[in-house]
Amino acid sequence: MDLHYMDQRLRSLVIFRELLMDPVIAGFEAVLAMADEDDGDAFATVCAEFESSLFESTESWTDYLCNAVLQSENVCVRRKAHGELSPVLADSLQRELALLNELAGLTLEEILAGMENAPDFFAAWTTHPCDLPGEYARRMNEVSVKGYGMFARYHVFVVEDGQLVPVKHPDPQRLSELPGYEKEREKVIANTEALLEGRPANNVLLYGDAGTGKSSAIKAIANEYAPRGLRLVEVKKNQLFQIPDLMDQLASNPLKFILFIDDLSFTTNDDNFAALKAILEGSVGGRAGNIAVYATSNRRHLIKETLEDRSGSDIHESDTRQELMSLAARFGLTVTFGQPDKSRFVQIVSDLAAQYGVGEDPEKLIVKAEAFAIRAGGRSPRVAKQFIELCKAGVLQ
């Protein structure tokens, strides 16, 4: 085995060059280099560092390298998302995949066999046969739902300094865990499916009382449709000025994105008001077809108004008020989540009790739930969930 040649080719990657920045893969390259120099002491150090990094994730070198390749963001996967590859790129891609497939099966024993001063005290990493070129071809054909780069690994993101940062442990909320408000959610789900299928989709405003499950509905929809290529980007109100540039970047991505703004409201002099209007209206080129804005608010018109605002010194008071109210109208779909009446609250409590395995007598449970809701400030799905969780924990008897 020509370790020098393999190390030279690994260091000469073009399409997958970013892989060399991965500490585990860089560690493997150092192992090949030291094995080629037949320096037992230096080899022992770099091999230990490589295995230490690898074993943090997995014992299988094959799995690690294959996953890194499949999730790589590179020029080929970006070009493939918008058409076919040129012959030059296609040839380079196949050459590098063949090399990486060979490296993925390289064992410690095979590397040590080429050394005269090989250390004999390392536990070997594991390998197994793989078809990396075939797997990568399938991934390229599924790029519109699998994504690439960090979008292949994560489906929920936040914005920090104008850049997307993945959420490694998002809220695992599922639609099946949200009893009540099924009809309201159906409208949001239908709009989301239109987005995923490339049909015209509206920006959505979920308006209503606190604790009625507006935010939970959006998070659950994101979790439900992630396997179909949906990604959720949570945006804070003070970050709205950073979003247009971000939307331009996402517009070329084959995936579909929901920009999620939670608990949205403005004062009359809020500078973020104009920023949101620009986002909802889109740039001069129009709004990207793979992006929709989903916002929640406790205010129907999003603007906090006072009596002083209505009796101020504005000469064209009516025009000003129309401008303030027009923001909500820019959401093509508005879904109202009202406070539940008694029958809906009872149904929510009963369904949650079944989910959590609370086996108390249903009539007694409802009486306790009603009393708990009064103390908590009123009926809502949030209150119902808090009540059931306390029952399950044995806090409420």
Side-chain angles (χ1 to χ4, degrees):
M1 177 178 293
D2 190 341
L3 296 177
H4 176 75
Y5 179 69
M6 297 189 76
D7 179 44
Q8 183 184 45
R9 289 200 60 197
L10 178 58
R11 287 185 286 108
S12 302
L13 289 175
V14 175
I15 304 299
F16 293 101
R17 190 147 195 85
E18 69 159 14
L19 294 182
L20 298 178
M21 304 299 293
D22 183 295
V24 175
I25 298 174
F28 187 79
E29 188 278 320
V31 167
L32 291 179
M34 289 301 102
D36 178 51
E37 293 184 14
D38 202 11
D39 184 338
D41 291 339
F43 178 88
T45 299
V46 296
C47 187
E49 291 175 349
F50 163 69
E51 288 196 335
S52 177
S53 298
L54 175 67
F55 293 166
E56 286 289 329
S57 302
T58 176
E59 297 171 6
S60 172
W61 164 237
T62 306
D63 288 344
Y64 189 93
L65 182 57
C66 288
N67 285 334
V69 171
L70 292 174
Q71 294 171 358
S72 169
E73 179 177 352
N74 57 69
V75 63
C76 286
V77 75
R78 288 194 296 269
R79 295 277 181 88
K80 180 64 175 178
H82 300 285
E84 295 300 319
L85 298 181
S86 69
V88 172
L89 287 178
D91 182 61
S92 296
L93 177 64
Q94 292 307 313
R95 288 173 180 271
E96 293 191 5
L97 286 172
L99 169 67
L100 292 166
N101 193 68
E102 186 176 357
L103 291 175
L106 199 57
T107 66
L108 177 61
E109 290 79 4
E110 290 173 317
I111 294 175
L112 294 177
M115 300 178 60
E116 293 183 3
N117 302 307
D120 60 358
F121 45 77
F122 282 106
W125 58 81
T126 63
T127 61
H128 59 79
C130 66
D131 177 18
L132 190 51
E135 285 294 322
Y136 199 80
R138 284 188 285 273
R139 173 58 63 90
M140 292 274 275
N141 290 330
E142 298 175 343
V143 69
S144 61
V145 294
K146 298 289 188 180
Y148 52 76
M150 65 179 178
F151 298 111
R153 297 189 291 273
Y154 306 102
H155 74 281
V156 179
F157 303 85
V158 294
V159 179
E160 293 183 5
D161 298 324
Q163 300 297 318
L164 291 184
V165 177
V167 177
K168 296 182 179 180
H169 304 288
D171 187 340
Q173 188 76 69
R174 309 296 295 190
L175 287 171
S176 59
E177 300 170 347
L178 299 175
Y181 300 91
E182 286 81 6
K183 289 185 178 180
E184 289 83 353
R185 288 197 299 272
E186 282 176 3
K187 300 176 183 178
V188 187
I189 290 171
N191 191 74
T192 305
E193 290 182 340
L195 176 67
L196 289 169
E197 294 168 7
R199 295 183 282 115
N202 286 291
N203 297 317
V204 182
L205 174 63
L206 283 70
Y207 148 77
D209 296 294
T212 49
K214 302 182 295 296
S215 301
S216 295
I218 295 175
K219 294 173 184 177
I221 287 172
N223 293 336
E224 206 77 27
Y225 288 95
R228 289 179 55 181
L230 183 66
R231 302 294 183 264
L232 183 74
V233 179
E234 184 169 8
V235 181
K236 299 186 184 302
K237 190 178 73 170
N238 62 2
Q239 297 173 323
L240 292 175
F241 284 106
Q242 303 172 13
I243 302 307
D245 289 341
L246 185 61
M247 291 178 72
D248 288 342
Q249 298 172 28
L250 296 179
S252 61
N253 196 297
L255 298 172
K256 303 300 189 293
F257 294 88
I258 289 176
L259 299 185
F260 172 40
I261 311 171
D262 197 19
D263 198 19
L264 183 63
S265 65
F266 299 97
T267 59
T268 54
N269 296 318
D270 197 329
D271 291 337
N272 294 301
F273 179 87
L276 181 59
K277 283 181 64 177
I279 292 170
L280 295 176
E281 292 173 345
S283 66
V284 291
R287 183 168 64 89
N290 67 330
I291 302 172
V293 177
Y294 285 20
T296 69
S297 179
N298 297 334
R299 297 180 181 275
R300 173 64 181 84
H301 296 295
L302 304 178
I303 304 296
K304 180 181 179 181
E305 291 187 276
T306 65
L307 291 175
E308 287 78 6
D309 294 332
R310 292 183 176 254
S311 59
S313 58
D314 192 345
I315 296 176
H316 302 288
E317 177 188 348
S318 176
D319 291 348
T320 301
R321 189 175 301 118
Q322 286 297 322
E323 180 186 12
L324 295 177
M325 294 175 64
S326 69
L327 180 61
R330 285 179 168 81
F331 289 91
L333 175 61
T334 299
V335 183
T336 303
F337 283 65
Q339 189 176 43
D341 57 19
K342 182 174 181 179
S343 61
R344 177 178 281 191
F345 183 71
V346 167
Q347 186 61 52
I348 292 172
V349 171
S350 300
D351 290 347
L352 287 174
Q355 285 184 25
Y356 280 78
V358 176
E360 189 171 346
D361 178 78
E363 292 186 3
K364 293 182 179 179
L365 189 69
I366 296 304
V367 170
K368 291 181 180 180
E370 284 285 322
F372 182 84
I374 292 173
R375 294 193 298 272
R379 303 185 187 106
S380 74
R382 180 185 298 161
V383 168
K385 185 176 181 179
Q386 291 170 346
F387 168 72
I388 292 298
E389 288 178 340
L390 290 171
C391 290
K392 181 66 176 178
V395 177
L396 297 179
Q397 300 294 333

